[in-house]
Amino acid sequence: MRGRLGRECVYVPSCRFGLYAALRHWCPPGGRVLMSPVNDDVVFFVVLAAGLRPVQAPLNPSDASIDIDAVPGQTWGSLSAVLTTNLYGNPDPAPGLRARCDALGIPLFEDAAHAIGSEVGGRPVGAWGDASVLSLSKHVGAKAGGILAFADPGLREALGKTCEDLLLPRRTSAEVAYAVRPYAEAAVRGLRLRRTAWATMRLLGRMEREEIRMPLRPRELARALASAPDLAAHDPWVRVDMHDYRLRAGRFRLGRIARRLDGLDDVLARCRSGTELLLSTRWARPAGWDAPRGGAPREAPGGAQPLFRVPLLVADRDAAVRALARRGIVVGYLYDPPLDDYAGADFTDPSPSPEGARWFARHALPVDPLRARAAVAALEESGARPAELPEGLVPSGG
């Protein structure tokens, strides 16, 4: 990863853990962080756990990237940091955000969990921020691990100590569960027992999400905020979907991650090919909008980015999800409603222009580019229609 990014890197047990460590190192408690409202709610709770106030940014409705020009001047002047999302691997406008942060004297953080292999402005995503976090669970497929990368190599010792102080001891039970998980998942897929498995998990009280967003539990969250910065107090929210997010890794886990990382270039090549196919379809941009999707500045030099998921824009997402499910394609990584609608003004500053985020969150259908041909066939068969961009909601550069 040092070779890919051209900067110092530290292994961390998860992206969320690395992001918390970075926020604690750079940002004093009480600071305000500009971020995307179309984002995983876990990231939102990591920002809160670090003792910081999330500030929701206006978004480009075509790809959910931060719309720099739509952020009010007074908001820029109040910030302590900016956090990108690079949703599904499509880069945020990092060069412009880097320039803004430099002018303000504040750090830029890149959440590049979805964006290993993506590029913007002639650099890899993850090579623009003061610090960035990359996931080894997504493209790499290791289902564990992450990378904390940072621009100043002189910070390695300090950041390493921050991480060491936050880590919990490895647990044998967690390592065993990690070792057998791929085989259990393969058995569930092979026997077509997904619904039975989900029903069993729900019966045992192990399902932490019934909807796209986890339950907010505002009273409990307010009590946790009173002790922030405090990762332990926010653990019920931060651990969702990954209870071992801050455990030290054992030898077996590290070995599997290393083996999967060895195959990353092949995965990225296949993701790029699938992305190109999906972006050639009529669902790749709002109906009636002829501008290039995302704008040329955020395209990779070789064409399409190797996206982790390709957000097609469909009129009826629920129907499209069902159509894909009939082909055995599971749709995940939905972030609807946007975080300001989900959490409310008690816990975040709402976006000054929320319409773009709401439209994108309602219509985005994240498709795995490795299943591109089957997905296109399913959508064609179902008669899925492209979403229409409402009048007046014009994407940046459109």
Side-chain angles (χ1 to χ4, degrees), residues 97-149:
L97 290 170
R98 177 74 272 172
R100 290 273 186 163
C101 288
D102 287 345
L104 294 167
I106 60 176
L108 173 66
F109 301 113
E110 293 180 271
D111 181 349
H114 293 176
I116 289 182
S118 292
E119 299 180 27
V120 62
R123 297 189 206 173
V125 171
W128 286 94
D130 295 84
S132 56
V133 288
L134 299 95
S135 173
L136 302 179
S137 295
K138 306 297 189 297
H139 285 90
V140 177
K143 299 186 183 298
I147 296 294
L148 171 59

Short mmCIF file of all heavy atoms in Angstrom, two decimals, residues 97-149:
data_model
loop_
_atom_site.label_atom_id
_atom_site.label_comp_id
_atom_site.label_asym_id
_atom_site.label_seq_id
_atom_site.Cartn_x
_atom_site.Cartn_y
_atom_site.Cartn_z
N LEU A 97 -10.95 20.28 -2.85
CA LEU A 97 -11.07 20.21 -1.40
C LEU A 97 -9.72 20.41 -0.72
O LEU A 97 -9.62 21.05 0.33
CB LEU A 97 -11.68 18.87 -0.99
CG LEU A 97 -13.15 18.69 -1.36
CD1 LEU A 97 -13.59 17.24 -1.14
CD2 LEU A 97 -14.05 19.63 -0.54
N ARG A 98 -8.67 19.88 -1.34
CA ARG A 98 -7.32 20.07 -0.80
C ARG A 98 -6.96 21.56 -0.79
O ARG A 98 -6.39 22.08 0.19
CB ARG A 98 -6.33 19.29 -1.66
CG ARG A 98 -4.85 19.41 -1.29
CD ARG A 98 -4.49 18.63 -0.04
NE ARG A 98 -4.67 19.42 1.16
CZ ARG A 98 -4.57 18.93 2.39
NH1 ARG A 98 -4.32 17.64 2.57
NH2 ARG A 98 -4.73 19.70 3.44
N ALA A 99 -7.29 22.25 -1.88
CA ALA A 99 -6.98 23.68 -1.96
C ALA A 99 -7.76 24.46 -0.90
O ALA A 99 -7.21 25.37 -0.25
CB ALA A 99 -7.30 24.21 -3.35
N ARG A 100 -9.04 24.11 -0.71
CA ARG A 100 -9.84 24.80 0.31
C ARG A 100 -9.26 24.56 1.70
O ARG A 100 -9.16 25.49 2.51
CB ARG A 100 -11.28 24.27 0.26
CG ARG A 100 -12.05 24.69 -0.97
CD ARG A 100 -12.73 26.03 -0.78
NE ARG A 100 -13.57 26.36 -1.91
CZ ARG A 100 -14.52 27.28 -1.88
NH1 ARG A 100 -14.74 27.96 -0.77
NH2 ARG A 100 -15.24 27.53 -2.96
N CYS A 101 -8.92 23.31 2.00
CA CYS A 101 -8.39 23.00 3.32
C CYS A 101 -7.06 23.69 3.56
O CYS A 101 -6.80 24.18 4.67
CB CYS A 101 -8.25 21.48 3.48
SG CYS A 101 -9.83 20.60 3.63
N ASP A 102 -6.21 23.74 2.54
CA ASP A 102 -4.93 24.44 2.69
C ASP A 102 -5.16 25.92 2.97
O ASP A 102 -4.46 26.52 3.81
CB ASP A 102 -4.10 24.27 1.42
CG ASP A 102 -3.53 22.87 1.28
OD1 ASP A 102 -3.53 22.12 2.27
OD2 ASP A 102 -3.09 22.52 0.16
N ALA A 103 -6.12 26.53 2.27
CA ALA A 103 -6.39 27.94 2.48
C ALA A 103 -6.91 28.21 3.88
O ALA A 103 -6.64 29.27 4.47
CB ALA A 103 -7.40 28.44 1.44
N LEU A 104 -7.67 27.25 4.42
CA LEU A 104 -8.24 27.41 5.76
C LEU A 104 -7.32 26.91 6.86
O LEU A 104 -7.59 27.15 8.05
CB LEU A 104 -9.58 26.66 5.83
CG LEU A 104 -10.70 27.19 4.95
CD1 LEU A 104 -11.84 26.18 4.87
CD2 LEU A 104 -11.22 28.52 5.50
N GLY A 105 -6.28 26.18 6.50
CA GLY A 105 -5.37 25.63 7.50
C GLY A 105 -5.98 24.49 8.29
O GLY A 105 -5.70 24.34 9.49
N ILE A 106 -6.83 23.67 7.64
CA ILE A 106 -7.48 22.55 8.33
C ILE A 106 -7.14 21.25 7.59
O ILE A 106 -6.80 21.26 6.41
CB ILE A 106 -9.01 22.72 8.40
CG1 ILE A 106 -9.62 22.81 7.00
CG2 ILE A 106 -9.36 23.97 9.22
CD1 ILE A 106 -11.14 22.87 7.00
N PRO A 107 -7.22 20.11 8.28
CA PRO A 107 -6.88 18.85 7.64
C PRO A 107 -7.99 18.34 6.72
O PRO A 107 -9.17 18.59 6.94
CB PRO A 107 -6.68 17.89 8.82
CG PRO A 107 -7.50 18.47 9.92
CD PRO A 107 -7.46 19.96 9.74
N LEU A 108 -7.55 17.61 5.68
CA LEU A 108 -8.45 16.88 4.80
C LEU A 108 -8.27 15.39 5.08
O LEU A 108 -7.15 14.88 5.07
CB LEU A 108 -8.12 17.17 3.34
CG LEU A 108 -8.87 16.33 2.29
CD1 LEU A 108 -10.36 16.63 2.31
CD2 LEU A 108 -8.28 16.56 0.90
N PHE A 109 -9.38 14.71 5.36
CA PHE A 109 -9.37 13.27 5.57
C PHE A 109 -10.10 12.61 4.40
O PHE A 109 -11.16 13.08 3.98
CB PHE A 109 -10.06 12.88 6.88
CG PHE A 109 -9.44 13.49 8.09
CD1 PHE A 109 -10.12 14.45 8.84
CD2 PHE A 109 -8.16 13.13 8.49
CE1 PHE A 109 -9.56 15.01 9.97
CE2 PHE A 109 -7.58 13.71 9.62
CZ PHE A 109 -8.28 14.65 10.36
N GLU A 110 -9.55 11.50 3.91
CA GLU A 110 -10.18 10.76 2.83
C GLU A 110 -10.65 9.40 3.35
O GLU A 110 -9.84 8.59 3.78
CB GLU A 110 -9.20 10.54 1.68
CG GLU A 110 -8.78 11.80 0.95
CD GLU A 110 -7.82 11.46 -0.16
OE1 GLU A 110 -6.60 11.44 0.10
OE2 GLU A 110 -8.27 11.21 -1.29
N ASP A 111 -11.95 9.18 3.29
CA ASP A 111 -12.48 7.84 3.51
C ASP A 111 -12.47 7.16 2.15
O ASP A 111 -13.32 7.41 1.31
CB ASP A 111 -13.89 7.91 4.08
CG ASP A 111 -14.49 6.53 4.35
OD1 ASP A 111 -13.90 5.53 3.90
OD2 ASP A 111 -15.55 6.45 4.99
N ALA A 112 -11.48 6.31 1.94
CA ALA A 112 -11.30 5.64 0.65
C ALA A 112 -11.67 4.17 0.75
O ALA A 112 -11.13 3.35 0.00
CB ALA A 112 -9.87 5.81 0.17
N ALA A 113 -12.62 3.84 1.63
CA ALA A 113 -13.00 2.45 1.83
C ALA A 113 -13.45 1.79 0.54
O ALA A 113 -13.16 0.62 0.28
CB ALA A 113 -14.10 2.35 2.89
N HIS A 114 -14.18 2.54 -0.30
CA HIS A 114 -14.70 2.00 -1.56
C HIS A 114 -13.76 2.26 -2.73
O HIS A 114 -14.09 1.88 -3.86
CB HIS A 114 -16.04 2.65 -1.89
CG HIS A 114 -17.14 2.32 -0.96
ND1 HIS A 114 -18.40 2.89 -1.06
CD2 HIS A 114 -17.22 1.48 0.10
CE1 HIS A 114 -19.18 2.43 -0.10
NE2 HIS A 114 -18.48 1.57 0.62
N ALA A 115 -12.62 2.91 -2.50
CA ALA A 115 -11.92 3.56 -3.61
C ALA A 115 -10.49 3.10 -3.84
O ALA A 115 -9.72 3.82 -4.47
CB ALA A 115 -11.96 5.07 -3.42
N ILE A 116 -10.10 1.93 -3.36
CA ILE A 116 -8.78 1.42 -3.74
C ILE A 116 -8.76 1.29 -5.27
O ILE A 116 -9.63 0.65 -5.86
CB ILE A 116 -8.49 0.06 -3.09
CG1 ILE A 116 -8.25 0.22 -1.59
CG2 ILE A 116 -7.27 -0.60 -3.72
CD1 ILE A 116 -7.92 -1.08 -0.88
N GLY A 117 -7.79 1.91 -5.90
CA GLY A 117 -7.68 1.84 -7.36
C GLY A 117 -8.26 3.02 -8.09
O GLY A 117 -7.97 3.22 -9.27
N SER A 118 -9.08 3.83 -7.43
CA SER A 118 -9.62 5.02 -8.07
C SER A 118 -8.58 6.13 -8.07
O SER A 118 -7.72 6.20 -7.19
CB SER A 118 -10.89 5.49 -7.36
OG SER A 118 -11.95 4.57 -7.55
N GLU A 119 -8.68 7.03 -9.05
CA GLU A 119 -7.75 8.14 -9.18
C GLU A 119 -8.50 9.44 -9.44
O GLU A 119 -9.60 9.43 -9.99
CB GLU A 119 -6.77 7.90 -10.34
CG GLU A 119 -5.91 6.67 -10.18
CD GLU A 119 -4.96 6.47 -11.35
OE1 GLU A 119 -4.60 7.48 -12.01
OE2 GLU A 119 -4.60 5.32 -11.62
N VAL A 120 -7.86 10.54 -9.04
CA VAL A 120 -8.41 11.86 -9.33
C VAL A 120 -7.25 12.85 -9.37
O VAL A 120 -6.32 12.76 -8.55
CB VAL A 120 -9.47 12.27 -8.28
CG1 VAL A 120 -8.89 12.37 -6.88
CG2 VAL A 120 -10.14 13.59 -8.67
N GLY A 121 -7.26 13.73 -10.34
CA GLY A 121 -6.22 14.75 -10.42
C GLY A 121 -4.82 14.18 -10.57
O GLY A 121 -3.85 14.80 -10.12
N GLY A 122 -4.69 13.00 -11.17
CA GLY A 122 -3.38 12.40 -11.39
C GLY A 122 -2.80 11.68 -10.19
O GLY A 122 -1.64 11.26 -10.23
N ARG A 123 -3.58 11.53 -9.13
CA ARG A 123 -3.12 10.81 -7.94
C ARG A 123 -4.15 9.75 -7.55
O ARG A 123 -5.34 9.89 -7.83
CB ARG A 123 -2.96 11.74 -6.74
CG ARG A 123 -1.94 12.83 -6.87
CD ARG A 123 -1.79 13.49 -5.49
NE ARG A 123 -1.34 14.86 -5.59
CZ ARG A 123 -1.26 15.69 -4.55
NH1 ARG A 123 -1.63 15.27 -3.34
NH2 ARG A 123 -0.83 16.93 -4.71
N PRO A 124 -3.70 8.70 -6.84
CA PRO A 124 -4.67 7.75 -6.30
C PRO A 124 -5.55 8.42 -5.25
O PRO A 124 -5.09 9.31 -4.52
CB PRO A 124 -3.80 6.66 -5.66
CG PRO A 124 -2.43 6.88 -6.17
CD PRO A 124 -2.31 8.34 -6.51
N VAL A 125 -6.80 8.03 -5.18
CA VAL A 125 -7.62 8.41 -4.04
C VAL A 125 -6.93 7.85 -2.79
O VAL A 125 -6.50 6.71 -2.76
CB VAL A 125 -9.04 7.84 -4.17
CG1 VAL A 125 -9.82 8.04 -2.87
CG2 VAL A 125 -9.76 8.49 -5.33
N GLY A 126 -6.83 8.67 -1.77
CA GLY A 126 -6.08 8.30 -0.58
C GLY A 126 -4.73 8.98 -0.49
O GLY A 126 -4.07 8.90 0.54
N ALA A 127 -4.32 9.66 -1.58
CA ALA A 127 -3.03 10.34 -1.60
C ALA A 127 -3.18 11.86 -1.59
O ALA A 127 -2.24 12.58 -1.88
CB ALA A 127 -2.22 9.91 -2.82
N TRP A 128 -4.38 12.36 -1.26
CA TRP A 128 -4.64 13.79 -1.22
C TRP A 128 -4.76 14.32 0.21
O TRP A 128 -4.42 15.47 0.48
CB TRP A 128 -5.92 14.13 -1.97
CG TRP A 128 -5.78 14.05 -3.45
CD1 TRP A 128 -6.06 12.99 -4.26
CD2 TRP A 128 -5.31 15.09 -4.32
NE1 TRP A 128 -5.79 13.29 -5.57
CE2 TRP A 128 -5.33 14.57 -5.64
CE3 TRP A 128 -4.88 16.39 -4.13
CZ2 TRP A 128 -4.93 15.33 -6.74
CZ3 TRP A 128 -4.49 17.15 -5.22
CH2 TRP A 128 -4.52 16.62 -6.51
N GLY A 129 -5.23 13.52 1.12
CA GLY A 129 -5.53 14.00 2.46
C GLY A 129 -4.33 14.02 3.37
O GLY A 129 -3.29 13.41 3.10
N ASP A 130 -4.48 14.73 4.49
CA ASP A 130 -3.49 14.62 5.56
C ASP A 130 -3.45 13.19 6.05
O ASP A 130 -2.41 12.67 6.43
CB ASP A 130 -3.85 15.58 6.70
CG ASP A 130 -3.76 17.03 6.27
OD1 ASP A 130 -4.74 17.54 5.70
OD2 ASP A 130 -2.70 17.64 6.49
N ALA A 131 -4.62 12.55 6.04
CA ALA A 131 -4.71 11.13 6.37
C ALA A 131 -5.85 10.53 5.56
O ALA A 131 -6.79 11.21 5.16
CB ALA A 131 -4.96 10.92 7.87
N SER A 132 -5.75 9.24 5.30
CA SER A 132 -6.80 8.53 4.58
C SER A 132 -6.92 7.13 5.15
O SER A 132 -5.97 6.59 5.72
CB SER A 132 -6.50 8.47 3.08
OG SER A 132 -5.24 7.87 2.84
N VAL A 133 -8.11 6.56 5.00
CA VAL A 133 -8.34 5.19 5.43
C VAL A 133 -8.86 4.39 4.25
O VAL A 133 -9.69 4.86 3.48
CB VAL A 133 -9.32 5.11 6.62
CG1 VAL A 133 -8.68 5.62 7.89
CG2 VAL A 133 -10.61 5.87 6.34
N LEU A 134 -8.33 3.17 4.11
CA LEU A 134 -8.72 2.29 3.01
C LEU A 134 -9.12 0.95 3.60
O LEU A 134 -8.53 0.48 4.58
CB LEU A 134 -7.56 2.11 2.02
CG LEU A 134 -7.08 3.40 1.34
CD1 LEU A 134 -5.89 3.99 2.09
CD2 LEU A 134 -6.70 3.15 -0.10
N SER A 135 -10.12 0.33 3.01
CA SER A 135 -10.65 -0.93 3.52
C SER A 135 -10.04 -2.11 2.77
O SER A 135 -9.90 -2.08 1.55
CB SER A 135 -12.17 -0.95 3.35
OG SER A 135 -12.68 -2.23 3.70
N LEU A 136 -9.72 -3.15 3.52
CA LEU A 136 -9.30 -4.42 2.93
C LEU A 136 -10.46 -5.41 2.90
O LEU A 136 -10.28 -6.58 2.57
CB LEU A 136 -8.12 -4.99 3.70
CG LEU A 136 -6.89 -4.07 3.75
CD1 LEU A 136 -5.77 -4.70 4.55
CD2 LEU A 136 -6.41 -3.72 2.34
N SER A 137 -11.66 -4.93 3.25
CA SER A 137 -12.86 -5.76 3.21
C SER A 137 -13.60 -5.65 1.89
O SER A 137 -14.40 -6.52 1.57
CB SER A 137 -13.82 -5.37 4.34
OG SER A 137 -13.26 -5.63 5.60
N LYS A 138 -13.37 -4.58 1.13
CA LYS A 138 -14.18 -4.30 -0.04
C LYS A 138 -13.56 -4.94 -1.28
O LYS A 138 -13.78 -6.12 -1.53
CB LYS A 138 -14.33 -2.78 -0.20
CG LYS A 138 -14.87 -2.07 1.04
CD LYS A 138 -16.26 -2.52 1.39
CE LYS A 138 -16.89 -1.67 2.49
NZ LYS A 138 -16.21 -1.72 3.78
N HIS A 139 -12.78 -4.20 -2.09
CA HIS A 139 -12.18 -4.79 -3.28
C HIS A 139 -11.32 -6.01 -2.94
O HIS A 139 -11.32 -7.01 -3.66
CB HIS A 139 -11.29 -3.76 -3.99
CG HIS A 139 -12.03 -2.71 -4.75
ND1 HIS A 139 -12.41 -1.52 -4.16
CD2 HIS A 139 -12.46 -2.65 -6.04
CE1 HIS A 139 -13.03 -0.77 -5.07
NE2 HIS A 139 -13.07 -1.43 -6.22
N VAL A 140 -10.55 -5.92 -1.86
CA VAL A 140 -9.65 -7.01 -1.50
C VAL A 140 -10.44 -8.25 -1.09
O VAL A 140 -10.02 -9.38 -1.31
CB VAL A 140 -8.69 -6.56 -0.38
CG1 VAL A 140 -7.79 -7.70 0.08
CG2 VAL A 140 -7.84 -5.38 -0.85
N GLY A 141 -11.61 -8.04 -0.48
CA GLY A 141 -12.48 -9.15 -0.11
C GLY A 141 -12.01 -9.93 1.10
O GLY A 141 -12.43 -11.08 1.29
N ALA A 142 -11.16 -9.35 1.94
CA ALA A 142 -10.64 -10.08 3.10
C ALA A 142 -11.60 -10.09 4.27
O ALA A 142 -11.39 -10.83 5.23
CB ALA A 142 -9.31 -9.47 3.53
N LYS A 143 -12.63 -9.25 4.22
CA LYS A 143 -13.64 -9.15 5.29
C LYS A 143 -13.01 -8.78 6.64
O LYS A 143 -13.55 -9.09 7.70
CB LYS A 143 -14.44 -10.45 5.42
CG LYS A 143 -15.20 -10.81 4.14
CD LYS A 143 -16.10 -12.01 4.35
CE LYS A 143 -16.79 -12.41 3.06
NZ LYS A 143 -17.68 -11.36 2.55
N ALA A 144 -11.90 -8.10 6.58
CA ALA A 144 -11.23 -7.61 7.78
C ALA A 144 -10.09 -6.71 7.34
O ALA A 144 -9.57 -6.83 6.23
CB ALA A 144 -10.69 -8.77 8.63
N GLY A 145 -9.69 -5.82 8.24
CA GLY A 145 -8.47 -5.06 8.03
C GLY A 145 -8.67 -3.77 7.26
O GLY A 145 -9.62 -3.59 6.52
N GLY A 146 -7.72 -2.87 7.48
CA GLY A 146 -7.72 -1.59 6.79
C GLY A 146 -6.34 -0.98 6.82
O GLY A 146 -5.40 -1.53 7.42
N ILE A 147 -6.22 0.13 6.16
CA ILE A 147 -4.95 0.86 6.08
C ILE A 147 -5.20 2.31 6.50
O ILE A 147 -6.14 2.94 6.01
CB ILE A 147 -4.38 0.83 4.66
CG1 ILE A 147 -4.02 -0.59 4.23
CG2 ILE A 147 -3.17 1.75 4.53
CD1 ILE A 147 -2.88 -1.22 5.01
N LEU A 148 -4.38 2.81 7.39
CA LEU A 148 -4.34 4.23 7.72
C LEU A 148 -3.11 4.80 7.05
O LEU A 148 -1.97 4.41 7.38
CB LEU A 148 -4.29 4.44 9.24
CG LEU A 148 -4.03 5.87 9.73
CD1 LEU A 148 -5.10 6.84 9.24
CD2 LEU A 148 -3.93 5.90 11.26
N ALA A 149 -3.32 5.67 6.07
CA ALA A 149 -2.21 6.29 5.33
C ALA A 149 -2.14 7.77 5.69
O ALA A 149 -3.17 8.40 5.96
CB ALA A 149 -2.42 6.13 3.82
#
